[in-house]
Amino acid sequence: MDQHIAEAIGRPDLIRLDDRLVCLRFETMKVVSALAAVRHLLDTGVVRRGDTLLDSSSGIYAYALALACHRHGMRCHIVGSTTVDHTLRTQLRILGATLEQMEPCSDLKLDQKRRVARIHEILAEHPEYHWMRQYHDDIHYLGYRAIADRIREATGADGLTVVGGVGSGASTGALARYLRAAPDGPADVDLVGVQPYGSVTFGAEHVADPEIIIAGIGSSIPFENVSHELYDTLHWISFDAALAGSIDLLRRHALFAGLSTGAGYLAARHERDRAPERTVLFLAADTGHRYIDTVYARHHEATPVTDLAPREVTDQSELTLPWSRMAWRRAGAPAPGSAHVGGDGVGPGA
């Protein structure tokens, strides 16, 4: 029996959508990493019960950290994005978390940079606070070990392709790392990352999406938790294409999930069709409730997913909306500000 609701929320469902397509569906995925990270900090004496944990969030991690703090008797201080909605603000307040939300801003890149700047101001005022650094501290990998074990038991690891939004790098990076390190030897696990246009993480900052940057799966600043060398393939997917994926996922499979899941589903379908010998598993990081107005109410606008296909590119300078795919081949991080890859066309540092 669970001792706290966070443990139940953090336990994902494995749902087989067809013979080779599996969804790893979370209610709120980052609860897994926040719970394990806070437990590790307590066990190693870095923090104590009653201390204040601080971080920046566009939404999901704010809720996850508030739940972890509630579970372990900690205080929680969040610098929140403009995307934090009324429902989440109310939950955070009742859970006892302090939320500082940025002023409305149409530029999510600027919003992210302002949040980081505010974090540094708070630390200067309160050096006793512990900054969780969800984007940079690999303690956020720890919670995914048990999930990787469960995936291995249910699907096997050899011949598995994992697809998911990159974001901070913790979920997809951790799953690939733990799945590849199988007890009986290295396993054949491919990792496919999904990014929005405009994200610097894999060198797409020069391409803008006229709708929005899909919050949570990209970044306007480098994240140390992203291990670029773990990724085999990258998909850049626009808002419109992700919307189409989200609508199709609900219509075809009755699975109600967030916008990043729609993008991951689109990429996963394509990878399944490219490699009929492999099982493809994609991550659904959260439910679709906060996307009712921005995504699901626009279902009549959705392009049929069968009409969508990625443009295959060998260099980030070739990226175009609404969907591009590139072989990354476990290369290193792109050079800051670069919009192209190394001379052999397989990624910087390859």
Side-chain angles (χ1 to χ4, degrees):
M1 183 179 296
D2 295 321
Q3 301 302 307
H4 192 273
I5 185 62
E7 295 158 6
I9 291 174
R11 186 182 306 112
D13 303 307
L14 273 168
I15 305 166
R16 184 172 291 281
L17 304 187
D18 65 30
D19 60 340
R20 293 189 300 104
L21 187 63
V22 177
C23 179
L24 182 67
R25 185 258 184 195
F26 293 85
E27 182 175 339
T28 305
M29 183 176 69
K30 290 191 176 182
V31 172
V32 174
S33 55
L35 272 178
V38 173
R39 180 74 265 167
H40 178 78
L41 291 171
L42 285 165
D43 289 346
T44 55
V46 175
V47 300
R48 296 176 296 178
R49 289 176 64 88
D51 285 354
T52 298
L53 304 183
L54 167 71
D55 216 337
S56 163
S57 173
S58 61
I60 296 177
Y61 187 79
Y63 180 53
L65 186 59
L67 285 174
C69 287
H70 189 277
R71 168 71 176 86
H72 292 296
M74 316 290 289
R75 294 185 176 90
C76 179
H77 191 120
I78 297 291
V79 178
S81 168
T82 61
T83 58
V84 176
D85 61 20
H86 173 71
T87 300
L88 180 54
R89 288 196 300 270
T90 303
Q91 287 177 286
L92 293 175
R93 189 176 301 117
I94 295 171
L95 285 168
T98 299
L99 172 67
E100 290 187 42
Q101 189 169 10
M102 295 288 99
E103 292 297 319
C105 175
S106 59
D107 185 347
L108 287 181
K109 296 180 182 180
L110 178 59
D111 174 74
Q112 192 172 48
K113 291 176 181 176
R114 290 192 305 178
R115 283 186 278 134
V116 173
R118 179 57 186 148
I119 289 285
H120 287 291
E121 292 175 356
I122 294 170
L123 289 171
E125 298 165 7
H126 297 280
E128 74 278 11
Y129 286 7
H130 180 82
W131 183 14
M132 291 298 294
R133 302 177 77 245
Q134 65 149 322
Y135 305 130
H136 308 298
D137 192 332
D138 65 4
I139 61 171
H140 291 90
Y141 277 47
L142 298 174
Y144 294 99
R145 184 186 295 274
I147 294 172
D149 290 341
R150 185 176 169 203
I151 293 169
R152 186 182 295 109
E153 291 171 5
T155 69
D158 273 329
L160 179 67
T161 297
V162 175
V163 180
V166 177
S168 70
S171 58
T172 50
L175 288 175
R177 187 170 289 170
Y178 294 137
L179 285 167
R180 286 170 181 166
D184 54 351
D188 173 20
V189 177
D190 283 351
L191 180 59
V192 177
V194 179
Q195 284 273 276
Y197 291 93
S199 174
V200 306
T201 308
F202 286 88
E205 62 269 29
H206 59 295
V207 184
D209 190 328
E211 283 275 1
I212 63 168
I213 295 176
I214 304 172
I217 67 169
S219 177
S220 63
I221 58 175
F223 288 166
E224 294 174 21
N225 267 346
V226 177
S227 297
H228 296 75
E229 67 280 0
L230 293 174
Y231 295 84
D232 297 280
T233 305
L234 267 295
H235 287 252
W236 289 268
I237 295 178
S238 71
F239 173 89
D240 288 339
L243 181 149
S246 298
I247 299 302
D248 190 83
L249 184 59
L250 180 56
R251 181 176 288 134
R252 190 185 302 263
H253 299 290
L255 209 160
F256 182 52
L259 187 61
S260 67
T261 302
Y265 168 66
L266 204 60
R269 282 173 51 93
H270 182 78
E271 295 300 323
R272 175 201 60 187
D273 294 343
R274 284 179 63 95
E277 74 284 1
R278 303 184 71 82
T279 296
V280 179
L281 177 144
F282 69 97
L283 278 62
D286 60 351
T287 65
H289 294 87
R290 66 177 179 148
Y291 298 96
I292 284 291
D293 293 329
T294 56
V295 174
Y296 287 96
R298 298 171 59 179
H299 61 89
H300 57 282
E301 301 175 24
T303 301
V305 294
T306 51
D307 292 348
L308 294 170
R311 177 185 181 186
E312 296 288 337
V313 304
T314 58
D315 187 290
Q316 290 98 323
S317 65
E318 301 171 3
L319 294 176
T320 57
L321 278 71
W323 183 5
S324 298
R325 179 185 184 274
M326 177 175 162
W328 191 257
R329 299 188 177 95
R330 307 190 188 184
S338 68
H340 56 82
V341 294
D344 56 5
V346 298

